[in-house]
Amino acid sequence: MKTLRHCWYCLIAAFWIAGRVTGRREFFLLLLIMCFVPLFSLCLNVWIARSFCYLQELEKKTCVKGERTYMRVSITNDKPFPFPLMRITMVLVARSQIARERFSLPPGNSVIFETPLQCPYRGVHSVGITTLEINDSFGLVKNIFNMAELPYYRRMELKVYPQLTDLGALQARDSDCEHIGSAGMWRAEQGESYSGLRPYRPGDPLKRVHRAVSARRREWYVRTYDTPLERSVLIVLDTVAAYESEEEGLYLGDLVCQCAAAIAQYSIKSGYHAVYIDSGLDSALVLEKTGDFEKLYDRLAELEFQTVDGGFERSSKFTARQFFDARTAYIISARGSGDGDIVESISEMKTKLPDIKLIAIGYRVSSNMATDSGWLSAPGVQITKIMVGDDVSEALHGHLSATL
């Protein structure tokens, strides 16, 4: 087709020169005919792109990091003429992967492409067709259309959750055994002081139903109780990370969220309340029972990390102001040990929260990798270093086994 295209445009130039030199109308007539064909092909390509009939869908709209799903793209030719040679480019979850498919379609026919989607990192990812390349039937005009600029087109969103790590190996201190097991779970339901009323939710104990209020309002209401904050575990997540490339930032964010999810899940199972905070939240997420974990899991899947400052400082002040009676605070950060602001904020939190655990996330080959010496200006803070590629369960068990 390239040869035909080159010959065609060379003939157009030759007829124009011949017409100008000889002045004969035949050359100008041939010139108009040959110019009309590419113009007609261009208009036809634009029409095909503007009325492109397609269907794209995901096998699963939510996955866990490491899983695989499929993207199905169906294209139908609803025009009275055959589709010329076309090519679609599709963006996948992995930044390094791009899928391309070529096809031609007779009138009334369809073609289906199934593309596997690997999920190497957590987040909400836009997947689908990015560009549409159309070559006309004569091979004279080739157009590439950005699908995002078309008014009818929308990409699909795939939500990838962080991996769940079982920290069943963590053990409690002997002095805190009364908080673990059925006794701890009983107090988590009953609390110590009456707080108020709320509508009944499936799973609430029937003995907490307030009969008088339920009868008056003709709707089930249950009593709520305040739980002592010393039985709470704080999880403070720093949304600032030290990375140079987008993919490096994605892996660091994955590891930070994986640690937060693992600690929160184990704390809830042990009978404690997990209180989660990051800089993007107006109020803390309080996880009282296993069913509440989904709120945190959704938040961790949607969380975005950045390289600019300001993430942890807001969270630390919010934490120290309202939850200084919590028994333990976990600070999870991937910003690197060279940042003096976070060290200062941790030192300030230390005056209100005596038991602080810092989980420093980094790369082994990165110059910004957190080291013990870089955090020594925050005395009394237990530091756990976890690098991308490490076993999270083993790393947390080695340093945090005496926390709960």
Side-chain angles (χ1 to χ4, degrees):
M1 289 205 175
K2 286 185 178 180
T3 304
L4 176 62
R5 185 184 304 125
H6 292 159
C7 292
W8 192 277
Y9 290 114
C10 287
L11 283 174
I12 289 178
F15 287 143
W16 181 81
I17 294 173
R20 294 281 294 182
V21 172
T22 64
R24 294 184 65 85
R25 297 179 181 179
E26 293 83 353
F27 290 113
F28 288 105
L29 179 60
L30 290 173
L31 175 63
L32 289 175
I33 294 174
M34 297 193 70
C35 289
F36 174 77
V37 175
L39 181 61
F40 174 77
S41 299
L42 175 61
C43 295
L44 200 62
N45 289 354
V46 173
W47 181 43
I48 292 174
R50 288 287 176 176
S51 59
F52 188 55
C53 184
Y54 75 98
L55 176 64
Q56 56 181 9
E57 54 187 355
L58 291 170
E59 180 189 32
K60 296 186 296 183
K61 293 185 178 181
T62 59
C63 291
V64 177
K65 176 187 172 182
E67 291 183 350
R68 184 176 69 173
T69 184
Y70 286 89
M71 178 172 62
R72 179 188 177 96
V73 178
S74 175
I75 300 172
T76 302
N77 181 3
D78 58 349
K79 307 293 186 296
F81 52 85
F83 275 175
L85 180 62
M86 303 175 67
R87 181 173 71 174
I88 57 173
T89 302
M90 296 172 285
V91 64
L92 310 181
V93 176
R95 298 300 189 266
S96 58
Q97 295 180 356
I98 295 178
R100 292 184 175 89
E101 299 289 350
R102 292 179 178 270
F103 61 94
S104 296
L105 279 179
N109 284 29
S110 300
V111 63
I112 297 175
F113 302 106
E114 283 198 357
T115 305
L117 294 181
Q118 303 291 342
C119 302
Y121 21 68
R122 163 214 65 89
V124 179
H125 306 279
S126 295
V127 298
I129 304 173
T130 56
T131 60
L132 173 65
E133 179 184 313
I134 304 177
N135 292 274
D136 69 290
S137 302
F138 306 101
L140 301 179
V141 179
K142 179 176 73 173
N143 298 104
I144 299 178
F145 298 92
N146 184 359
M147 295 294 288
E149 297 177 353
L150 300 179
Y152 62 86
Y153 180 75
R154 295 293 183 273
R155 286 193 199 174
M156 300 175 293
E157 285 194 347
L158 174 63
K159 181 183 287 189
V160 182
Y161 290 95
Q163 282 184 329
L164 285 179
T165 302
D166 186 11
L167 300 183
L170 292 179
Q171 301 296 328
R173 294 173 178 171
D174 294 339
S175 59
D176 297 324
C177 287
E178 69 271 12
H179 296 295
I180 311 300
S182 59
M185 293 303 291
W186 176 266
R187 281 195 292 272
E189 287 290 340
Q190 295 291 67
E192 292 190 355
S193 60
Y194 175 75
S195 175
L197 297 173
R198 63 167 173 80
Y200 175 83
R201 294 184 304 205
D204 289 335
L206 293 179
K207 56 189 169 185
R208 292 176 58 185
V209 173
H210 197 296
R211 298 183 180 180
V213 174
S214 299
R216 185 170 62 252
R217 299 186 181 182
R218 297 183 179 181
E219 184 180 356
W220 292 105
Y221 277 82
V222 296
R223 300 179 180 87
T224 59
Y225 299 87
D226 287 329
T227 302
L229 287 175
E230 61 270 13
R231 290 191 53 252
S232 299
V233 175
L234 279 178
I235 302 172
V236 184
L237 191 145
D238 185 13
T239 56
V240 177
Y243 58 88
E244 298 178 356
S245 65
E246 181 188 13
E247 195 162 23
E248 183 177 330
L250 289 170
Y251 282 115
L252 287 174
D254 287 353
L255 190 52
V256 169
C257 293
Q258 183 179 352
C259 292
I263 296 172
Q265 188 178 52
Y266 181 77
S267 300
I268 297 172
K269 290 180 179 179
S270 300
Y272 291 87
H273 287 189
V275 181
Y276 169 84
I277 297 173
D278 64 51
S279 60
L281 290 174
D282 295 328
S283 60
L285 290 179
V286 181
L287 314 179
E288 301 180 359
K289 53 183 182 296
T290 304
D292 295 337
F293 180 75
E294 293 300 322
K295 296 184 296 183
L296 173 62
Y297 209 30
D298 274 331
R299 175 63 182 171
L300 294 177
E302 299 170 356
L303 196 62
E304 295 183 0
F305 289 79
Q306 53 191 358
T307 57
V308 297
D309 293 338
F312 179 79
E313 291 74 13
R314 181 175 181 271
S315 299
S316 62
K317 293 177 182 178
F318 180 69
T319 303
R321 184 173 70 250
Q322 296 194 10
F323 299 104
F324 55 85
D325 286 334
R327 60 171 290 108
T328 304
Y330 295 96
I331 300 172
I332 310 174
S333 176
R335 72 167 62 193
S337 60
D339 196 318
D341 292 336
I342 187 173
V343 174
E344 181 180 351
S345 299
I346 292 175
S347 300
E348 182 180 348
M349 287 181 61
K350 185 65 178 174
T351 62
K352 300 290 183 65
L353 294 162
D355 188 10
I356 294 180
K357 315 293 183 184
L358 173 64
I359 301 175
I361 308 297
Y363 271 94
R364 296 187 184 279
V365 297
S366 173
S367 58
N368 293 322
M369 183 184 70
T371 58
D372 289 337
S373 58
W375 297 104
L376 290 179
S377 53
V381 176
Q382 181 180 344
I383 302 171
T384 301
K385 295 188 300 180
I386 303 180
M387 302 297 110
V388 173
D390 288 352
D391 187 303
V392 173
S393 178
E394 182 179 349
L396 291 178
H397 170 61
H399 293 81
L400 306 178
S401 58
T403 299
L404 296 182

